[in-house]
Amino acid sequence: MKCSLLWTVLTVAAFAAATPAARHSLKVKESIAVPRGWAKRDVAPRHMRLNLRIALPQSNFALLEQELYEVSDPAHERYGAHLSQAEVNELIAPRPESVQQVKAWLAGHGLREEDLSFSPAGDWIKVAVPVSLAEEMLDAEYHVYEHSEGDTLVRTASYSLPEHLHEHVELIQPTTLFSRFRGMKTSFRLHELDASVAPPASAPPIHVPSASGGKVDASCNTTITVQCLKELYNAVGYTPKANTGNQIAATGYLDQFANLADLQLFYADQVPAAINTSFKLVSINGGQNNQSEPGGEANLDTQFAFGISHPIPATFYTTAGSPPFIPDVGTPTDSNEPYLDWVDFVLNHPNPPQTISTSYGDDEQTVPLSFAQRVCNDFAQLGARGVTLTFSSGDGGVGDGDPDPATQQCFTNDGHNKTEFLAAFPASCPFVTTVGGTHLVPETAISFSGGGFSNVFSRPKYQDQQVEAFLNKLGPKTFAGLFNKNGRAYPDVSAQADNFRIFFEGRAALIAGTSASCPTFAGFVALLNDARLRAGKPPLGFLNPLIYSLKSGFNDITTGNNPGCGTQGFNATKGWDPVTGLGTPNFGVLEKLVV
């Protein structure tokens, strides 16, 4: 009765606030320059429905961040004491006043409480409205925007809110988010074994002191397999268990489907012990896994992440929604916001996998500041709960994600067209572990390995020492003005990223990109979690404070560079660098350090 009365009172007040006279109090909440490559087309259909997501300020995020670092720092007494879902939700729940004010505003536009849905912590409100109502609520003009590569979005370059709501709302989307969220693979080709490329069967192994037994099969210089990775990263002979509670997952978007028949061919070829096993399929927002349309990205992610970590239980998240979105009578709802759907889902899961690999991202500058910060904060929630998130660093070197340096566009979207290195997101979020790329044996940095410095996030303390050492070696004049030396630096680590032998449509294929290095590294993290859980210890969770504190455990990569933007990019050097991070994993050493 009390709740009903309160809702009635708030509704009346909100209707009063929505009068024409009161609307003069509307104030721009967010306005952007439309990112390069997007062109405004038609006015958005008035009837089309938008799934508006309203982010309310998280009341105690600073405390959550403090707790995240405490439970992730091996030098802290609370290391490994991860928070429960309920504890995290309590810390980030919005203030009641914010909830009341936003509900009242929505009620003033005819939206009832039953029209609304809430995140577990109540810090996100979702409501479906037609474009016509969204424009009225936000004093916005939605249009259809088309990218030069064919993607289509319904967006507005600016939106407003009543001035009194600004302190109660962090952001509303879809409005100003023009990110395309691409897969991070640079090449994909069907492959038949070529005697002119493959080394002779009698070729001697390659001497690598840090590898298992100090050697790696010569074939690994032309084709990467699970066995190659276990040899190179010193994990031969380690067999995880299936019943420790450990889990690993890979995410799939943009109609990238993981083919089960191809997985069995891959297992027969590289992981015979896994034949007739599979992954758990989790559909988000109606996501499919169409077996007649296999995806090279999805096959790569599942085959290598799950092949390395077998028999640890594996999950493939398939999330619906993909560009190009063509608004018409047949598609009345804009559903190409798959990434937020996945974040919503996994935050609502009481027991998410301890390791999750994502091989997708976009240019940081295409993501509004408010959105980037909020999504990054959502990642912090998962880290506090003991989840390791790995993300690809990108495939454009220091450029804009285009793997071809000749066609890269390295200009800011702020209207000034300033030339600068372009960071990637979510790779630039300080609460994830970002994975760059190497190739060949012995290893060297691969040229497309994304790396650099964020223009959104400041450098976290856990990487101060290593990044400052790199900057001192680089000197103040090198690339002056092209990057933010005070920004979050990435990648954190790296792994092989070229000539991965996967199976696609029943045939062997070779694929390259940090889409390969990311699930590879995640597979080895899952093995480390296996070792910890078997020893009665909690999972690793957010890795970065740990790995930046270690004096060993990674193979330092000191050759190669990541060109882009008309430059040679950064060089891989001794210690951390923005090409290969701290280096590639030495599982045998890391296992001893973390157990």
Side-chain angles (χ1 to χ4, degrees):
M1 181 66 180
K2 290 182 179 179
C3 291
S4 177
L5 178 60
L6 175 61
W7 181 250
T8 301
V9 171
L10 293 175
T11 300
V12 172
F15 272 118
T19 62
R23 290 185 185 182
H24 290 297
S25 66
L26 287 174
K27 180 180 177 182
V28 173
K29 177 65 176 175
E30 192 163 40
S31 181
I32 66 159
V34 175
R36 186 175 290 101
W38 291 98
K40 184 189 294 186
R41 300 304 186 202
D42 301 327
V43 172
R46 308 287 290 167
H47 68 280
M48 194 194 77
R49 296 183 72 77
L50 298 172
N51 289 319
L52 288 184
R53 299 168 186 268
I54 305 166
L56 280 59
Q58 297 167 331
S59 56
N60 281 307
F61 181 78
L63 182 56
L64 173 73
E65 184 176 15
Q66 176 186 326
E67 299 218 6
L68 167 67
Y69 281 120
E70 289 178 357
V71 301
S72 306
D73 180 357
H76 198 280
E77 62 182 2
R78 294 186 60 205
Y79 179 61
H82 301 119
L83 279 63
S84 68
Q85 181 187 30
E87 289 171 330
V88 168
N89 289 346
E90 183 178 354
L91 284 172
I92 63 164
R95 292 183 296 126
E97 181 187 2
S98 294
V99 178
Q100 292 167 8
Q101 292 286 350
V102 173
K103 280 185 175 181
W105 170 65
L106 294 171
H109 289 281
L111 298 167
R112 301 163 301 175
E113 185 154 16
E114 54 263 37
D115 297 323
L116 315 180
S117 60
F118 297 81
S119 63
D123 58 331
W124 283 95
I125 299 177
K126 185 160 67 173
V127 59
V129 299
V131 165
S132 57
L133 181 54
E135 290 184 334
E136 174 188 321
M137 294 166 60
L138 304 175
D139 192 27
E141 295 181 0
Y142 278 88
H143 285 79
V144 177
Y145 287 85
E146 184 177 6
H147 194 269
S148 57
E149 295 184 14
D151 296 355
T152 309
L153 296 172
V154 172
R155 293 292 186 269
T156 179
S158 175
Y159 69 95
S160 301
L161 290 172
E163 191 166 359
H164 76 278
L165 277 186
H166 280 233
E167 65 177 296
H168 301 297
V169 174
E170 282 191 357
L171 69 138
I172 298 178
Q173 292 292 349
T175 50
T176 56
L177 176 64
F178 283 80
S179 175
R180 297 171 60 218
F181 203 55
R182 302 174 299 233
M184 298 297 185
K185 63 180 190 299
T186 62
S187 67
F188 175 65
R189 60 188 184 277
L190 289 174
H191 171 62
E192 299 292 345
L193 290 178
D194 186 344
S196 67
V197 174
S202 58
I206 304 166
H207 179 63
V208 180
S210 60
S212 292
K215 58 187 180 181
V216 176
D217 192 274
S219 65
C220 301
N221 236 329
T222 55
T223 304
I224 292 294
T225 63
V226 168
Q227 181 63 23
C228 286
L229 295 168
K230 288 192 171 183
E231 289 180 6
L232 184 59
Y233 299 143
N234 193 17
V236 171
Y238 185 88
T239 303
K241 290 182 176 290
N243 59 355
T244 63
N246 194 14
Q247 303 176 67
I248 183 173
T251 64
Y253 304 93
L254 312 181
D255 289 342
Q256 278 286 324
F257 306 132
N259 187 268
L260 300 176
D262 287 339
L263 180 67
Q264 293 306 312
L265 290 172
F266 176 82
Y267 283 161
D269 183 64
Q270 299 185 33
V271 193
I275 294 174
N276 294 326
T277 69
S278 189
F279 51 78
K280 177 183 177 183
L281 181 71
V282 174
S283 170
I284 299 173
N285 200 29
Q288 302 296 309
N289 196 33
N290 190 334
Q291 294 301 287
S292 66
E293 298 180 13
E297 180 81 64
N299 276 11
L300 166 64
D301 292 342
T302 52
Q303 289 173 20
F304 271 89
F306 304 160
I308 291 169
S309 60
H310 176 78
I312 295 169
T315 296
F316 177 60
Y317 290 112
T318 175
T319 305
S322 65
F325 169 74
I326 308 299
D328 57 26
V329 176
T331 56
T333 301
D334 185 354
S335 60
N336 61 351
E337 300 276 4
Y339 194 54
L340 279 176
D341 287 331
W342 179 79
V343 174
D344 284 350
F345 181 90
V346 77
L347 284 173
N348 195 30
H349 197 295
N351 185 33
Q354 293 91 338
T355 309
I356 304 177
S357 173
T358 300
S359 297
Y360 298 78
D362 206 352
D363 305 340
E364 185 183 69
Q365 69 171 355
T366 68
V367 181
L369 174 65
S370 61
F371 181 87
Q373 291 176 330
R374 187 54 180 260
V375 170
C376 192
N377 288 355
D378 286 347
F379 294 151
Q381 296 178 49
L382 289 169
R385 290 172 57 186
V387 177
T388 299
L389 298 173
T390 65
F391 279 84
S392 300
S393 71
D395 293 348
V398 294
D400 67 349
D402 186 340
D404 183 357
T407 57
Q408 285 183 353
Q409 300 292 319
C410 299
F411 305 106
T412 60
N413 277 326
D414 58 5
H416 295 99
N417 289 330
K418 177 186 175 184
T419 300
E420 68 178 19
F421 296 162
L422 299 181
F425 181 81
S428 62
C429 171
F431 302 131
V432 305
T433 299
T434 303
V435 188
T438 64
H439 68 147
L440 303 177
V441 182
E443 292 182 276
T444 186
I446 199 161
S447 61
F448 57 69
S449 182
F453 298 78
S454 174
N455 288 313
V456 171
F457 302 102
S458 59
R459 185 198 310 152
K461 290 183 179 180
Y462 61 72
Q463 62 175 188
D464 269 346
Q465 183 177 347
Q466 290 87 341
V467 173
E468 283 292 346
F470 171 81
L471 292 173
N472 289 337
K473 286 185 289 186
L474 185 70
K477 295 183 178 180
T478 305
F479 304 139
L482 290 179
F483 70 96
N484 173 25
K485 66 179 182 179
N486 296 314
R488 187 279 206 252
Y490 73 95
D492 302 300
V493 294
S494 52
Q496 286 279 318
D498 195 19
N499 290 325
F500 273 56
R501 178 178 167 89
I502 69 167
F503 279 79
F504 178 78
E505 294 184 334
R507 297 174 62 189
L510 292 184
I511 196 167
T514 52
S515 273
S517 56
C518 185
T520 292
F521 187 81
F524 286 99
V525 173
L527 296 185
L528 292 172
N529 275 336
D530 173 81
R532 282 182 62 85
L533 291 168
R534 287 162 69 173
K537 297 184 177 182
L540 290 167
F542 176 42
L543 284 180
N544 295 5
L546 166 67
I547 60 179
Y548 279 92
S549 72
L550 297 177
K551 304 301 181 185
S552 60
F554 290 91
N555 310 311
D556 195 5
I557 310 301
T558 58
T559 58
N561 58 299
N562 57 352
C565 303
T567 75
Q568 290 302 302
F570 296 109
N571 290 324
T573 64
K574 184 177 180 180
W576 180 91
D577 57 70
V579 192
T580 62
L582 298 167
T584 59
N586 184 322
F587 174 80
V589 174
L590 288 170
E591 181 194 5
K592 292 181 174 64
L593 291 172
V594 302
V595 173

